[in-house]
């Protein structure tokens, strides 16, 4: 499935990021005590080719961008709030090949996401946890239909790498959740990781999962979560946190606000 082909990074015109417009053109001034908040965006600027772009601010104030391109995932950095970005993109998660008794597959790295743990995390302060979705594909680029996929050879997988030096170097890859290997090739498994740190230092990875439904012949999907109590070194078994009962919950985006976890799904 093709989601996006180019990354556009939109820069805000105003340094404050928000403009308070109390006298909009042609309109009466708002009543006392009320304000109209307007966000003003500059024209999009192309940074690089790629898909699934994400940008977060690191503890040292820089911005870090991740994206996928040509079956690999990359990061770039900005130390001026996104006006300029490092020219050299670092590859974090690479594609790899599988050749076993079930066949051959080129396993693509896609849909990257990351979070940096707080400086006072009790386990791994400042660690960056970088997650991606590994997707098994047919090495033959001319394949069509379901033959493009190789989920009968290798399962869709959520994997991570970590960095303890602000993204300069990265750990070995670790698979933290695997879907099933199916009897025939289908576009089905697990998708779209999202990394969240809780106030007590627990790290969560949310993701979309078709696995338990595919086993029963259904195309439903839930949002599941796995947790780490040691800064990303080990991970729990998954548990389901969202399933609407009549279809597919997908692509979770999660935030923490006033002690509550809020999650948006597609």
């Amino acid at each position: 499935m093709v989601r996006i082909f180019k990354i556009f990074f939109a820069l805000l015109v105003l340094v404050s990021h928000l403009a308070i417009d109390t006298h909009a053109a042609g309109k009466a001034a708002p009543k006392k005590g009320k304000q109209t908040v307007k966000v003003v965006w500059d024209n999009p600027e192309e940074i690089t080719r790629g898909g699934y772009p994400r940008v977060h601010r690191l503890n040292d104030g820089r911005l870090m961008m991740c994206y996928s391109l040509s079956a690999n995932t990359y990061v770039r950095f900005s130390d001026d709030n996104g006006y300029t970005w490092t020219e050299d993109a670092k590859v974090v998660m690479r594609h790899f090949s599988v050749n076993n008794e079930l066949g051959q597959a080129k396993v693509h790295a896609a849909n990257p996401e990351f979070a940096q743990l707080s400086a006072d995390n009790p386990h791994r302060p400042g660690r960056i946890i970088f997650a991606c979705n590994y997707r098994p594909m047919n090495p033959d680029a001319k394949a069509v239909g379901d033959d493009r996929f190789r989920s009968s050879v290798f399962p869709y997988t959520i994997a991570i790498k970590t960095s303890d030096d602000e993204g300069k170097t990265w750990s070995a890859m670790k698979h933290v959740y695997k879907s099933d290997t199916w009897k025939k090739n289908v576009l089905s498994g697990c998708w779209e990781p999202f990394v969240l740190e809780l106030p007590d230092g627990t790290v969560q990875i949310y993701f979309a999962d078709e696995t338990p439904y595919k086993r029963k012949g259904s195309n439903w999907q839930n949002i599941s979560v796995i947790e780490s109590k040691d800064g990303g070194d080990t991970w729990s078994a998954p548990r389901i946190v969202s399933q609407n009962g009549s279809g597919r919950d997908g692509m979770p985006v999660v935030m923490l606000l006033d002690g509550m976890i809020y999650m948006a799904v597609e």
Side-chain angles (χ1 to χ4, degrees):
M1 182 184 298
V2 177
R3 299 292 182 95
I4 187 170
F5 284 102
K6 288 189 176 181
I7 292 176
F8 292 98
F9 188 79
L11 303 176
L12 291 178
V13 173
L14 302 181
V15 174
S16 66
H17 291 188
L18 291 176
I20 306 300
D21 179 11
T22 56
H23 295 82
K27 296 183 180 180
K31 294 180 180 180
K32 186 177 181 180
K34 293 185 177 181
Q35 293 178 323
T36 301
V37 178
K38 181 188 296 183
V39 179
V40 182
W41 296 92
D42 201 349
N43 293 324
E45 177 184 349
E46 183 180 337
I47 307 302
T48 181
R49 293 176 55 244
Y52 291 113
R54 305 286 189 269
V55 179
H56 299 296
R57 191 175 296 278
L58 299 178
N59 296 345
D60 65 6
R62 293 179 302 153
L63 295 178
M64 176 172 148
M65 172 201 299
C66 68
Y67 57 96
S68 57
L69 176 65
S70 301
N72 298 320
T73 62
Y74 297 82
V75 295
R76 292 175 186 249
F77 300 89
S78 173
D79 58 9
D80 57 7
N81 284 322
Y83 286 94
T84 61
W85 293 87
T86 51
E87 290 293 331
D88 295 329
K90 293 180 178 289
V91 181
V92 180
M93 310 282 265
R94 296 181 180 273
H95 70 272
F96 59 91
S97 296
V98 172
N99 188 352
N100 58 31
E101 68 279 4
L102 299 173
Q104 295 182 334
K106 179 181 179 182
V107 185
H108 291 206
N111 204 171
E113 180 60 286
F114 70 94
Q116 184 174 28
L117 305 187
S118 60
D120 57 359
N121 183 280
H123 310 294
R124 298 290 184 179
R127 168 173 281 183
I128 301 174
I129 298 179
F130 187 101
C132 84
N133 181 203
Y134 270 112
R135 304 176 180 180
M137 306 297 290
N138 192 330
D140 182 0
K142 297 180 180 179
V144 297
D146 283 349
D147 194 43
R148 292 174 296 162
F149 316 117
R150 278 295 180 264
S151 52
S152 67
V153 175
F154 189 85
Y156 283 74
T157 299
I158 305 297
I160 67 165
K161 283 190 175 184
T162 61
S163 174
D164 293 316
D165 57 7
E166 303 289 343
K168 296 182 181 69
T169 61
W170 295 90
S171 69
M173 178 176 61
K174 179 182 297 184
H175 295 169
V176 294
Y177 179 77
K178 287 186 177 182
S179 182
D180 287 354
T181 300
W182 309 112
K183 292 182 179 179
K184 63 178 182 179
N185 291 315
V186 290
L187 180 64
S188 187
C190 55
W191 312 88
E192 302 148 353
F194 187 95
V195 186
L196 180 71
E197 179 188 17
L198 301 184
D200 68 354
T202 298
V203 184
Q204 298 181 323
I205 296 180
Y206 293 81
F207 59 94
D209 191 18
E210 298 167 306
T211 309
Y213 312 103
K214 185 64 180 177
R215 291 169 183 163
K216 301 176 182 179
S218 168
N219 68 348
W220 283 14
Q221 180 173 265
N222 69 53
I223 304 302
S224 289
V225 65
I226 56 176
E227 292 186 335
S228 174
K229 301 288 188 180
D230 54 14
D233 292 335
T234 61
W235 295 86
S236 70
R239 73 176 190 272
I240 297 172
V241 296
S242 177
Q243 211 293 319
N244 66 29
S246 62
R248 298 170 59 86
D249 291 357
M251 195 170 281
V253 176
V254 191
M255 68 174 293
L256 198 64
L257 180 66
D258 296 333
M260 296 287 289
I261 297 174
Y262 294 86
M263 178 173 65
V265 299
E266 67 174 358

